[in-house]
Amino acid sequence: MRYAEVSLYPGPEGFHPADRKLVDSGAVQRTAIHHVNQLDDGTVVVLYELQGRQSQVEAVLSSDQDVLAYTLSPESSADTARGHSNGADSQQTLHTHIHIDPPETMLSVFRLPQEHSLVIDTPIECLSAGGITVRVIGDQPTITDAVGSLPEQVETELLATGEYQPRARTLYSQLTPRQQDILRTAVEAGYYSVPRETTHEELANELNIAPVTVGEHLRKIEARVLGELVPSVA
């Protein structure tokens, strides 16, 4: 069994109008897509993870006629406290369930698992330019055929391929998509190098969050990972 990690860029129209509006808003960041499900009537429901203010997300989704319905998760108490302490423009993690009437570009992408006997390894990472990075699992000929059947307007970039080993991703997959993003940014910037090559402040600037939030996330990540590595004492 093989896997392929592929970035998909749908062009200026986006995967669907609401998705493009989220990208273009400048106030909302798409972080991840946790689930996609096509209903019998041809419409699609998508569970997004977003970074932004609840009012900003609502303003984008309520203005799009292709959004048939949506619900937003309430702010957590921790996010609310940070929002009050960091000012009106502070961001928070929100999950939104969107019911949409999808264009053909989106259907052509998310029909691939059914048409080619593939499994999508969620969450799907959202990219700042409007694309997504998808990890698909199957045999190599099936993966090759699936990628080759994408519409011409969807630009593809193969990032990695290899033998699928579920246990290799166990610890990483236990982190939330936001924690994965912060850990990946910290590692790439040299936070765990010796000597350390970056600071909480520099990471905060890159991630567009407060330095104290970076520290909180990294401590939680380290506690989760190290807690799994150290054997329990009977």
Side-chain angles (χ1 to χ4, degrees):
M1 186 164 50
R2 304 282 291 178
Y3 79 90
E5 194 165 280
V6 185
S7 288
L8 307 177
Y9 302 92
E13 299 301 320
F15 287 110
H16 61 84
D19 185 80
R20 172 50 61 182
K21 286 183 179 180
L22 289 170
V23 173
D24 293 341
S25 70
V28 179
Q29 178 184 350
R30 301 148 58 256
T31 303
I33 297 173
H34 290 273
H35 296 287
V36 179
N37 188 29
Q38 185 175 3
L39 306 183
D40 290 339
D41 62 2
T43 61
V44 170
V45 289
V46 187
L47 179 60
Y48 274 94
E49 179 177 335
L50 306 171
Q51 290 286 320
R53 299 290 297 173
Q54 183 165 330
S55 60
Q56 294 167 334
V57 177
E58 290 176 340
V60 172
L61 297 181
S62 62
S63 67
D64 195 298
Q65 62 182 3
D66 294 302
V67 175
L68 305 177
Y70 70 89
T71 56
L72 280 170
S73 64
E75 299 178 6
S76 70
S77 57
D79 285 333
T80 302
R82 279 198 291 271
H84 289 162
S85 63
N86 294 335
D89 292 332
S90 62
Q91 294 195 344
Q92 58 194 283
T93 299
L94 292 167
H95 289 83
T96 179
H97 178 277
I98 306 176
H99 184 194
I100 60 173
D101 188 9
E104 184 58 33
T105 299
M106 181 178 183
L107 288 177
S108 67
V109 172
F110 291 106
R111 277 199 302 249
L112 289 180
Q114 291 78 22
E115 293 179 346
H116 295 272
S117 299
L118 293 174
V119 173
I120 293 181
D121 193 7
T122 56
I124 298 168
E125 180 186 2
C126 293
L127 306 175
S128 59
I132 57 175
T133 294
V134 184
R135 187 180 176 99
V136 294
I137 302 164
D139 60 69
Q140 190 61 54
T142 300
I143 293 173
T144 301
D145 288 345
V147 174
S149 69
L150 287 166
E152 292 182 359
Q153 66 266 32
V154 178
E155 181 183 345
T156 64
E157 179 184 2
L158 180 63
L159 302 179
T161 185
E163 192 68 25
Y164 180 64
Q165 298 177 334
R167 291 184 61 85
R169 299 187 75 212
T170 300
L171 282 178
Y172 187 70
S173 65
Q174 289 180 13
L175 304 177
T176 68
R178 186 57 169 160
Q179 288 174 336
Q180 292 174 0
D181 182 42
I182 290 171
L183 178 59
R184 191 163 50 242
T185 300
V187 170
E188 291 173 354
Y191 182 79
Y192 291 103
S193 300
V194 180
R196 185 165 288 172
E197 298 174 0
T198 191
T199 64
H200 285 181
E201 289 73 17
E202 291 169 336
L203 291 173
N205 287 334
E206 185 169 351
L207 293 161
N208 196 28
I209 57 178
V212 65
T213 306
V214 172
E216 289 174 1
H217 277 295
L218 289 177
R219 285 191 293 273
K220 289 178 181 178
I221 292 167
E222 292 159 3
R224 172 70 64 87
V225 174
L226 294 176
E228 292 289 335
L229 290 177
V230 177
S232 59
V233 179

